[in-house]
Amino acid sequence: MLIPDFANTQNAFASYTNRDLRKAHFLFKFIRHPMNVSIGKFLLKMALAIHFPIRWMVKPTLFKQFCGGESLKECNQTVDAIRAQGAGSIPDYSAEGQGTEVHFDKVRDEVLKVIAFAEGRHEIPFCVFKPTGIISKVLLEKLRAGIALNENEREAYQRGRARFTDLCQSAANAGVRILIDAEETWIQAAIDSLTEEEMIRWNKEQPIVYNTVQMYRTDRLTYLMKCCEKLDAMNIIPGFKLVRGAYMEKERSRAAMLHYPSPIHSSKENTDRDYNKAIAFCIQRISNTGLCLGTHNEESTLLMTELMNAKGLDSLHPNLCFAQLLGMSDHITYNLAKAGYRAAKYVPYGPVRLVMPYLVRRAAENTSVAGQTSRELSLIKKELERRNKK
């Protein structure tokens, strides 16, 4: 089994033209500064509120870097381009912010299209959906808090739960594995319960339904182990996507405001420790566990390859996959693929106006994660210099 060479920028940016690289360099240079991201976020929110046309500005910049297209058909071109570099794709309908029954049904129908699109295509290892795209966040929060729902709320919740089951059942019938995104702590327990119910239904012979576990939470390593213990006793094969987490500032702010202990680790070192322990735990039992490693961290990625080697696992083991976001960490995705591992890109798509919340989060994430943007810039610069020497 080969060791991936994350310093190889020729593999990382093989699909980029020189113009693409220069545009990416400018974009990451811009979002490296928190002030730029804050101002941009404010202006975009204002533009959306007054219905100011922004598509002409956003689509060739942020959208092109981090999204695969405005429709599934357009997204297919991105999937083909990624496949040409030896990696897979995880199409992700990323329209957010509607919160109505009509929108919930539309999201369900779109994810059903993605499942049909993915059936029989090995280059699409997973489909994915965000729970609050199909069910009310308010209802999930009430359930998490133990607040009784009124009759209308119970009916709305049952409709959301039915959508949840529809997607998991369709994935199981199509033989497509499906990732359930994680969300904020104050609704995650309700999502965990729904996801575990679907695992029990569909994960009898192979991992189909995967829960996302945010390892920046202080309780998630314990949750992961207890969930496996519970499902093992029922002869169910659990599936997990391991991530560090995406709501750190919001979680800490809410905990401070409501005077309860922060659910987030106090240091990055503690998060890294739990993340790597979770990898080791899952690899040790990989014949009975599905694992998608969702990370842009080189050390955790290399740890997984080392543990796979030590255990004598095939680099394309059916229960293992690496995943990174489109437009980020290309040096990880494509060098993993070059070394023979199953690696995939999350490929968000949807109408520009509706994926703006996602794009704003991506920009903010690059600003807040120490070294993320600087690493992207240095790799792009290295590749441009390599090409100029030819």
Side-chain angles (χ1 to χ4, degrees), residues 177-247:
R177 302 185 182 204
I178 190 161
L179 304 167
I180 316 298
D181 276 347
E183 304 206 41
E184 296 92 339
T185 53
W186 53 93
I187 61 172
Q188 186 58 44
I191 294 169
D192 289 342
S193 295
L194 287 169
T195 304
E196 289 168 26
E197 287 176 13
E198 299 304 325
M199 282 190 195
I200 292 167
R201 284 192 179 100
W202 313 114
N203 289 19
K204 292 182 172 69
E205 297 179 2
Q206 62 175 319
I208 292 290
V209 178
Y210 284 58
N211 200 8
T212 300
V213 185
Q214 296 175 308
M215 299 309 301
Y216 71 172
R217 287 182 52 175
T218 57
D219 64 342
R220 289 286 93 175
L221 185 59
T222 299
Y223 165 79
L224 179 74
M225 293 176 173
K226 287 187 175 180
C227 183
C228 286
E229 182 180 356
K230 170 186 171 182
L231 296 179
D232 285 349
M234 304 169 70
N235 293 318
I236 300 299
I237 303 172
F240 302 105
K241 182 180 76 167
L242 299 182
V243 300
R244 277 171 168 77
Y247 304 102

Side-chain angles (χ1 to χ4, degrees), residues 108 112 115 161-171 198:
R108 176 203 57 202
L112 288 173
I115 292 169
R161 186 173 179 176
R163 295 184 195 101
F164 205 104
T165 297
D166 282 349
L167 294 179
C168 294
Q169 181 173 6
S170 296
E198 299 304 325

Side-chain angles (χ1 to χ4, degrees), residues 118-132:
E119 185 173 2
R121 297 182 64 170
H122 296 296
E123 70 272 24
I124 304 179
F126 295 98
C127 294
V128 61
F129 70 91
K130 185 174 183 177
T132 53

Side-chain angles (χ1 to χ4, degrees), residues 308-321:
M308 290 172 68
N309 276 309
K311 198 170 174 61
L313 300 175
D314 191 296
S315 61
L316 294 175
H317 191 289
N319 286 0
L320 288 169
C321 185

Side-chain angles (χ1 to χ4, degrees), residues 140-156:
L140 291 173
E141 187 170 356
K142 284 188 174 183
L143 288 169
R144 170 67 179 83
I147 299 172
L149 305 182
N150 63 38
E151 185 176 351
N152 289 337
E153 289 172 332
R154 286 196 299 273
E155 290 176 357

